[in-house]
Amino acid sequence: MRVGITGHQGLSGGITEMLVRGEIWRLVTTFGPYELVGVGCAGEGPESWFARSVLEHGGKLEIVVPASGIGSVSAARLRLLGEARAVHRLAAVERGGLGDDTGRALVGMVDELIAVWDGEPGSEPARVAALALAAGLFVHRIWPPGCARTD
C-alpha cells in the first residue's frame, strides 16, 4: 500500500505535536510493514513524523523533491533522504514536468493520503486533499480535538 502525507507545518512543540504524532503512528501501524510504502516530501512537522513512523514500523520510504530543490536541509531531513529507498525529483515545468507541484505528484503516486489538516480551505493540505479526493483516493484526515495551528 502506497500512502502519502500532506500537512500543516509549524505544529512542533506542545500538545498538537503529541496528538498528531500519536495519530500518525496509529494509522501507520494499521498497515503491514511488508506492504507499506510511505511517500512524502519529508518536510518539517507531520511529513517528517510520518516518514520516521513508516521507517520505525518497518515500511519503505520514498521522498518527492520539487524541481527547485529542497531548500535548507536539516540533519533530520538529510537522514531521511539517506534512508529513503527512492528520491523522486520533479522536472521543471519548462521541461514538461510538474515543477514544484509536489502535491499533484504525490497524488499520482499513492493509493491513499493522510492529510494533517485543520479542515479550513485555502491551505496546501486543503488543496492536496481536494486533488486526492477528485482522483478517487481515500483521504485520512488527522486533526484531533485540542490541536491548534501556530501560523
Side-chain angles (χ1 to χ4, degrees):
M1 175 69 66
R2 297 178 61 82
V3 180
I5 180 85
T6 186
H8 293 299
Q9 294 190 358
L11 301 180
S12 296
I15 190 88
T16 298
E17 179 178 352
M18 181 185 71
L19 292 169
V20 169
R21 278 181 179 259
E23 281 300 300
I24 288 173
W25 179 254
R26 184 194 62 74
L27 201 52
V28 163
T29 58
T30 64
F31 300 102
Y34 56 89
E35 68 177 348
L36 178 61
V37 178
V39 184
C41 297
E44 175 192 335
E47 293 177 4
S48 61
W49 303 336
F50 169 74
R52 183 57 48 210
S53 293
V54 166
L55 292 171
E56 288 174 1
H57 183 54
K60 295 169 187 66
L61 177 65
E62 296 185 9
I63 297 177
V64 179
V65 177
S68 63
I70 55 176
S72 64
V73 182
S74 67
R77 196 171 200 188
L78 277 177
R79 277 193 302 281
L80 290 172
L81 285 163
E83 293 178 73
R85 93 169 170 179
V87 177
H88 306 279
R89 176 139 190 194
L90 301 182
V93 172
E94 307 81 58
R95 296 186 197 163
L98 292 173
D100 291 341
D101 194 349
T102 54
R104 187 170 297 282
L106 183 68
V107 167
M109 298 171 69
V110 299
D111 303 304
E112 295 184 5
L113 179 74
I114 297 171
V116 179
W117 166 47
D118 61 6
E120 295 296 318
S123 65
E124 182 63 7
R127 183 184 77 84
V128 177
L131 288 170
L133 289 168
L137 302 181
F138 184 79
V139 175
H140 303 269
R141 183 172 161 261
I142 293 177
W143 198 257
C147 286
R149 290 177 56 190
T150 56
D151 56 350

